[in-house]
Amino acid sequence: MGSRNQLLSALKRCLGLGRRQLSVGPRQVVLVTGCDSGLGHSLAVYCYRALHMTVISCCHNLESQGAQLLLRMSSENERRRMHTWQLDLLEPESIVQLHAKLEQLLASTDCQLMALVNNAGVMCFGEFEWQLSAQIEHQINCNLLGTMRLTRQLLPLLRQQRARIINVTSHCGFQALPALAPYAATKAALRVWNDALRIELQPHGMEVINFVPGSFVLESNIAARQQQQAQQQLEAFSAEQLAYYGSYFKAFHEYLSMLSGFKRPNQLQDEALLAKFKDALTNAQPKTLYIHEPWRYKVYRWLFKLTPAPLTDWLVLRFCAMPSFESTQRS
């Protein structure tokens, strides 16, 4: 009987039956990580201003411009709905402290935890041979293990509140890109972890959603330290690596120089993306996967699925359109 009910429930979801928007307001709490800039900052502001929810915006650095803007929102109304807390996903004690503050907030108000949005992440460009062990491990520890640590710490509370988990992943989780091997590995791992978690938590009435927002590297600070990271890579080169990669390495990082430097936080004005996020957050039966992408991404993603590996590799290089080792050797 249980198996039959599960099948009927799955079929209803496939047909889109029971999809409806839940009402949200100040009593519903959403916790968003990675709010210093970029997508996380924008989602926190959107939940606060457009959805009128109580928002816990987690920032790595409370002195950052993004965190300071969020802190100023805390005094905008009598019922404090914006809470900006420090969170370091690499420090277990920071996660424990956040958990305690969240429990205290829920216990002292009539609020209900509605969602955890795992958005925080870091990125480092460079061929795998170039990237330092510390750079590789930092991406794994923050993007993957840090997200897992936070989710595991909060899971009993999330389960008690029947809150949902929205994991922000990446197109790199579906198709790895050269010069982003460790980053892509973390996002692919998050994708399959998300799928397993979704199945595990279904019996407890919880939703787990994979949210793929497209590329916001130019609108965020995820790659703000790219030139510093490049300098560290260069300094670690052996004489042989420097002679072999020198001109390619220089052309590659000159091309990426636009990514470096910390940018002012801004609220994304992409209404289609925000509409998809709202559905993931507030639909009674959300989709398991939301993908937001321009047509160029959509066409390439479709071609990646259909083509054999040699053609896929060629398409990936066309998609990235970055300096290549071959092109620098010819010039």
Side-chain angles (χ1 to χ4, degrees), residues 99 103 106 112-113 153-164 201 204-206:
H99 182 203
E103 286 189 315
L106 295 174
Q112 177 186 8
L113 182 59
Q153 180 72 33
L154 298 184
L155 255 180
L157 184 58
L158 292 163
R159 175 170 43 76
Q160 293 159 20
Q161 303 267 318
R162 290 204 169 186
R164 62 189 57 191
L201 298 181
H204 311 304
M206 297 175 65

Side-chain angles (χ1 to χ4, degrees), residues 165-176:
I165 301 169
I166 301 175
N167 293 310
V168 177
T169 64
S170 167
H171 282 81
C172 288
F174 295 99
Q175 174 59 58

Side-chain angles (χ1 to χ4, degrees), residues 136-236:
I136 294 168
E137 290 167 12
H138 184 57
Q139 292 172 87
I140 295 170
N141 283 328
C142 180
N143 299 357
L144 179 61
L145 297 180
T147 297
M148 288 182 166
R149 289 189 200 103
L150 176 65
T151 303
R152 186 176 181 275
Q153 180 72 33
L154 298 184
L155 255 180
L157 184 58
L158 292 163
R159 175 170 43 76
Q160 293 159 20
Q161 303 267 318
R162 290 204 169 186
R164 62 189 57 191
I165 301 169
I166 301 175
N167 293 310
V168 177
T169 64
S170 167
H171 282 81
C172 288
F174 295 99
Q175 174 59 58
L177 302 179
L180 284 173
Y183 177 80
T186 65
K187 292 300 182 176
L190 278 177
R191 176 175 62 83
V192 294
W193 169 72
N194 176 94
D195 292 347
L197 197 62
R198 183 183 70 247
I199 298 169
E200 290 179 4
L201 298 181
Q202 281 175 358
H204 311 304
M206 297 175 65
E207 305 286 350
V208 180
I209 300 130
N210 183 359
F211 191 81
V212 182
S215 176
F216 292 97
V217 68
L218 294 177
E219 289 83 15
S220 76
N221 288 321
I222 193 170
R225 293 185 173 88
Q226 183 56 41
Q227 290 305 304
Q228 296 169 252
Q229 293 166 340
Q231 185 61 34
Q232 292 167 355
Q233 293 168 8
L234 184 63
E235 290 173 358

Side-chain angles (χ1 to χ4, degrees), residues 29-48 53-60 70 82-87 89 98 102 113 115-120 150 154 166 168 277 281:
V29 178
V30 56
L31 189 153
V32 186
T33 67
C35 295
D36 294 82
S37 66
L39 182 65
H41 184 88
S42 298
L43 295 181
V45 173
Y46 173 75
C47 291
Y48 175 75
M53 299 175 72
T54 293
V55 180
I56 299 170
S57 51
C58 298
C59 296
H60 184 261
L70 295 169
M82 177 63 78
H83 302 263
T84 304
W85 297 347
Q86 196 274 339
L87 174 64
L89 290 175
L98 180 136
L102 179 58
L113 182 59
L116 164 64
V117 182
N118 284 315
N119 166 75
L150 176 65
L154 298 184
I166 301 175
V168 177
F277 175 74
L281 180 63

Side-chain angles (χ1 to χ4, degrees), residues 171 291 293 296-305:
H171 282 81
I291 299 181
E293 59 192 350
R296 179 175 178 269
Y297 277 50
K298 191 184 294 289
V299 169
Y300 270 103
R301 185 165 57 84
W302 178 73
L303 290 172
F304 292 157
K305 287 182 179 179

